[in-house]
């Protein structure tokens, strides 16, 4: 109905980042008010339980009982918001599942701009230029508006008066965390997310092999 009313005037901007990094960042966000409990042991336990729940879904798919599309339609918004919480946290990084549903409602190359979140860390000026072009706006913010802050490890920007503005301490959680996520946990998540990322590459005709956090 929204598309029927507004048509090509609708502009949807979607930011996707490395799935494993996003999952860990979401974990830190869940415990932002009780950071002492955001231990690696808790993270590992949640990842394990979440993967077990996802594997149960996969078993039903392998038996021909359902598929991801049917599960989405059955659960609708609850697919990523309710149920076993960390299963849903992991599935939020299965970007292809969501995009396929959105593309059924909105023309892919007219209404959508899918951005690689990695570029926000490495080249935010380019991202802003892409967004302004997508929205048919004049280019007033570009690479010259940003500078890299060595102290916080993130890009900051100059406002229109030339004053520096840096991200708050809540940004870049996965980068600033004092804990190192063990490779064994990362690999478990990579294995789960790989089929969805491969599907995303086909869907978007893009290479996401740099998502190797």
């Amino acid at each position: 109905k929204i598309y029927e009313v507004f048509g090509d005037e609708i502009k949807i901007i979607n930011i996707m980042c490395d799935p494993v990094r996003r999952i860990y960042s979401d974990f830190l966000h869940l415990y932002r008010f009780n950071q002492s409990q955001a231990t690696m042991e808790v993270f590992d336990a949640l990842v394990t339980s979440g993967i077990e729940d996802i594997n149960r879904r996969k078993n039903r798919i392998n038996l021909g009982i359902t598929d991801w599309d049917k599960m989405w339609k059955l659960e609708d918004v609850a697919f990523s918001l309710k149920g076993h919480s960390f299963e849903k946290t992991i599935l939020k990084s299965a970007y292809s599942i969501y995009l396929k549903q959105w593309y059924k409602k909105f023309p892919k190359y007219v209404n959508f701009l899918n951005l690689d979140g990695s570029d926000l860390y490495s080249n935010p000026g380019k991202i802003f230029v892409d967004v302004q072009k997508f929205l048919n706006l004049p280019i007033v913010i570009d690479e010259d508006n940003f500078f890299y802050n060595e102290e916080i490890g993130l890009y900051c920007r100059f406002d229109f008066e030339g004053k520096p503005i840096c991200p708050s301490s809540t940004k870049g959680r996965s980068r600033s965390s004092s804990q190192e996520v063990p490779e064994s946990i990362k690999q478990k998540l990579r294995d789960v997310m790989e089929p969805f990322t491969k599907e995303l590459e086909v869907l978007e005709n893009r290479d996401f092999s740099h998502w190797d956090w």
Side-chain angles (χ1 to χ4, degrees), residues 39-199:
T39 65
M40 203 51 60
E41 290 76 15
V42 171
F43 182 55
D44 190 18
L46 288 173
V47 167
T48 299
S49 65
I51 290 176
E52 288 173 353
D53 290 329
I54 291 172
N55 285 337
R56 278 190 276 271
R57 287 181 181 265
K58 288 181 176 179
N59 288 337
R60 294 177 63 213
I61 292 173
N62 293 336
L63 291 172
I65 298 172
T66 187
D67 57 37
W68 290 111
D69 188 55
K70 290 178 182 177
M71 282 189 280
W72 169 276
K73 290 178 179 178
L74 179 65
E75 300 178 45
D76 196 17
V77 176
F79 183 81
S80 61
L81 297 180
K82 297 180 180 178
H84 299 285
S85 59
F86 215 75
E87 171 203 23
K88 306 298 185 176
T89 297
I90 295 173
L91 283 176
K92 287 177 185 177
S93 286
Y95 306 123
S96 61
I97 294 177
Y98 303 90
L99 285 178
K100 286 190 296 183
Q101 300 300 322
W102 279 95
Y103 289 159
K104 293 177 183 178
K105 305 294 184 182
F106 302 97
K108 178 177 179 179
Y109 295 109
V110 176
N111 301 103
F112 265 89
L113 176 63
N114 287 314
L115 300 172
D116 185 345
S118 303
D119 292 335
L120 283 172
Y121 290 106
S122 62
N123 194 357
K126 178 183 180 299
I127 289 287
F128 272 79
V129 170
D130 290 344
V131 168
Q132 290 165 102
K133 288 180 178 178
F134 176 67
L135 297 175
N136 297 315
L137 296 173
I139 308 300
V140 296
I141 300 176
D142 57 21
E143 287 87 344
D144 293 336
N145 294 90
F146 294 87
F147 68 95
Y148 187 74
N149 187 316
E150 297 273 356
E151 185 176 344
I152 65 174
L154 295 170
Y155 273 87
C156 302
R157 68 178 177 87
F158 294 108
D159 65 16
F160 292 113
E161 296 179 351
K163 297 178 181 178
I165 299 176
C166 291
S168 69
S169 59
T170 62
K171 300 300 181 182
R173 289 188 180 92
S174 61
R175 291 173 177 263
S176 61
S177 173
S178 60
Q179 299 185 86
E180 179 67 29
V181 179
E183 184 63 24
S184 58
I185 300 178
K186 289 183 179 181
Q187 192 58 52
K188 283 194 292 187
L189 289 170
R190 290 191 198 110
D191 291 342
V192 171
M193 302 315 304
E194 183 180 19
F196 302 109
T197 301
K198 291 294 183 184
E199 185 177 47

Side-chain angles (χ1 to χ4, degrees), residues 14-57:
N14 176 46
I15 301 177
M16 305 175 292
C17 64
D18 183 306
V20 178
R21 181 189 292 278
R22 198 212 61 75
I23 292 166
Y24 182 54
S25 178
D26 213 349
F27 164 74
L28 294 177
H29 180 74
L30 289 171
Y31 286 90
R32 64 192 182 282
F33 299 124
N34 197 351
Q35 297 180 17
S36 63
Q37 290 191 14
T39 65
M40 203 51 60
E41 290 76 15
V42 171
F43 182 55
D44 190 18
L46 288 173
V47 167
T48 299
S49 65
I51 290 176
E52 288 173 353
D53 290 329
I54 291 172
N55 285 337
R56 278 190 276 271
R57 287 181 181 265

